[in-house]
């Protein structure tokens, strides 16, 4: 089964699932309730493009005041209770790389989580993984990323590749922070995803990630940032983003069959 986390502007994909079950985050843990407009808080289980999927419609964010342990609860549920072996993470992000444009899509090839707490703190996965310390050399599965790249090319969608840096939010960054993050090697910045990727990877799930660049990061253009702008570009890009996910699922489904 493939887990999919839908970021801003992508929620509609969950409506396209041939659903057989809906699980509210509050059923997973009564303390979980998404507080962000445009983010529902549930997992839709069913099929999409003939592939078994569990789709998280909305996610739990650290900036809502949740702990990282709470942030990864729905991910843990999909792994432990629903048995996902593959995870597609999506988000809206600010473009740090000066060659990016709003509306671009970026395959996440690596991430920087040094500015947020690790979701693995206080969560001893030794029994489940055989190790107390977790290798993060290939968080994003290169073969899955390649499948997405192939899928994008086949349906005529331009796609970039880059490093995603996670901040706590809810504030956007300062221009000085963006310059610093660029120096550190980041291409895009956002308030989610990397900790989810880290947690799922530690548990042996194949992970890939795609960012929708909704805006140029702070200080690049001569104007401020707003959630409305982020939402607007995310909504506009939604159609091609959904097409990409559906087509990638088809390729992944075929691969599963080919590999038995
Ligand atoms: N910064 C952080 N998170 C974001 C941004 C940004 O510029 N755009 C969308 N999510």
């Amino acid at each position: 089964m493939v887990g999919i986390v839908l970021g801003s502007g992508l929620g509609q994909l969950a409506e396209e699932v041939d659903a057989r079950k809906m699980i509210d985050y509050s059923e997973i843990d009564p303390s979980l309730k998404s507080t962000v407009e445009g983010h529902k808080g549930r997992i839709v289980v069913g099929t999409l493009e003939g592939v078994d999927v569990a789709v998280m419609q909305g996610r739990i964010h650290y900036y809502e005041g949740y702990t990282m342990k709470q942030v990864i609860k729905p991910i843990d549920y999909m792994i432990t209770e629903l048995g996902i072996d593959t995870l597609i993470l999506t988000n809206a992000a600010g473009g740090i790389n000066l060659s990016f444009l709003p509306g671009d899509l970026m395959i996440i090839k690596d991430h920087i989580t040094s500015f947020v707490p690790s979701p693995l703190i206080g969560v001893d996965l030794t029994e489940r993984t055989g190790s107390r310390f977790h290798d993060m050399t290939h968080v994003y599965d290169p073969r899955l990323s390649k499948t997405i790249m192939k899928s994008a090319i086949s349906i005529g969608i331009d796609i970039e590749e880059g490093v995603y840096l996670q901040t706590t939010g809810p504030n956007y960054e300062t221009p000085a922070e963006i310059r610093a993050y660029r120096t550190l090697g980041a291409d895009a910045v956002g308030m989610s995803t990397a900790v989810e990727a880290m947690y799922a990877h530690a548990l042996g799930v194949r992970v890939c990630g795609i960012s929708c660049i909704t805006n140029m990061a702070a200080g690049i253009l001569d104007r401020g940032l707003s959630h409305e702008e982020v939402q607007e570009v995310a909504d506009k890009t939604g159609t091609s983003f959904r097409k990409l996910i559906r087509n990638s699922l088809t390729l992944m489904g075929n691969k599963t069959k080919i590999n038995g």
Side-chain angles (χ1 to χ4, degrees):
M1 183 181 279
V2 177
I4 306 174
V5 181
L6 302 178
S8 305
L10 268 179
Q12 204 189 313
L13 191 69
E15 319 287 347
E16 297 170 17
V17 173
D18 190 2
R20 58 173 187 272
K21 201 170 161 192
M22 308 264 192
I23 304 150
D24 246 57
Y25 295 165
S26 58
E27 292 174 52
I28 297 170
D29 188 310
S31 71
L32 303 179
K33 190 177 170 299
S34 180
T35 62
V36 192
E37 209 189 313
H39 283 270
K40 284 199 175 121
R42 64 184 183 189
I43 301 176
V44 179
V45 183
T47 54
L48 189 60
E49 299 294 346
V51 176
D52 272 339
V53 292
V55 179
M56 271 176 64
Q57 198 173 18
R59 51 161 50 97
I60 304 293
H61 295 91
Y62 187 64
Y63 63 71
E64 295 174 83
Y66 291 110
T67 62
M68 281 302 181
K69 266 190 195 169
Q70 286 173 302
V71 167
I72 49 83
K73 277 228 157 113
I75 304 284
D76 185 63
Y77 182 87
M78 291 200 295
I79 300 169
T80 314
E81 304 295 329
L82 303 177
I84 62 161
D85 53 16
T86 302
L87 180 62
I88 304 175
L89 298 166
T90 67
N91 61 41
I96 294 181
N97 186 318
L98 297 172
S99 74
F100 289 177
L101 286 171
D104 279 352
L105 297 180
M106 181 191 90
I107 293 173
I108 303 175
K109 66 176 180 196
D110 201 353
H111 70 214
I112 297 170
T113 57
S114 315
F115 298 97
V116 295
S118 166
L120 299 168
I121 292 174
V123 184
D124 192 347
L125 299 179
T126 310
E127 267 188 28
R128 291 169 73 181
T129 67
S131 176
R132 184 75 179 88
F133 303 96
H134 306 282
D135 180 36
M136 292 291 144
T137 310
H138 294 293
V139 176
Y140 301 88
D141 187 275
R143 277 193 297 179
L144 266 186
S145 299
K146 212 167 157 188
T147 302
I148 293 167
M149 179 65 80
K150 267 193 195 157
S151 165
I153 292 168
S154 76
I155 55 177
I157 292 175
D158 279 339
I159 195 152
E160 313 285 343
E161 258 192 309
V163 173
Y164 176 89
L165 183 145
Q166 180 170 354
T167 60
T168 64
N171 53 288
Y172 291 115
E173 302 68 37
T174 63
E177 284 167 333
I178 293 303
R179 285 194 300 274
Y181 296 161
R182 186 179 300 120
T183 307
L184 292 177
D187 296 292
V189 60
M191 306 172 190
S192 66
T193 305
V195 294
E196 298 160 2
M198 180 197 288
Y199 186 77
H201 176 66
L203 283 171
V205 172
R206 297 194 311 155
V207 177
C208 62
I210 313 168
S211 293
C212 172
I213 306 298
T214 49
N215 56 285
M216 293 316 288
I220 295 177
L221 303 177
D222 196 17
R223 60 189 165 89
L225 270 51
S226 75
H227 181 58
E228 288 69 36
E229 177 191 7
V230 167
Q231 197 75 51
E232 200 185 310
V233 178
D235 288 344
K236 258 195 215 152
T237 317
T239 309
S240 58
F241 207 165
R242 286 199 302 275
K243 206 168 145 192
L244 176 64
I245 303 271
R246 292 186 74 132
N247 191 265
S248 300
L249 273 179
T250 313
L251 296 184
M252 286 175 200
N254 286 340
K255 257 204 189 111
T256 312
K257 275 172 209 145
I258 290 163
N259 293 341

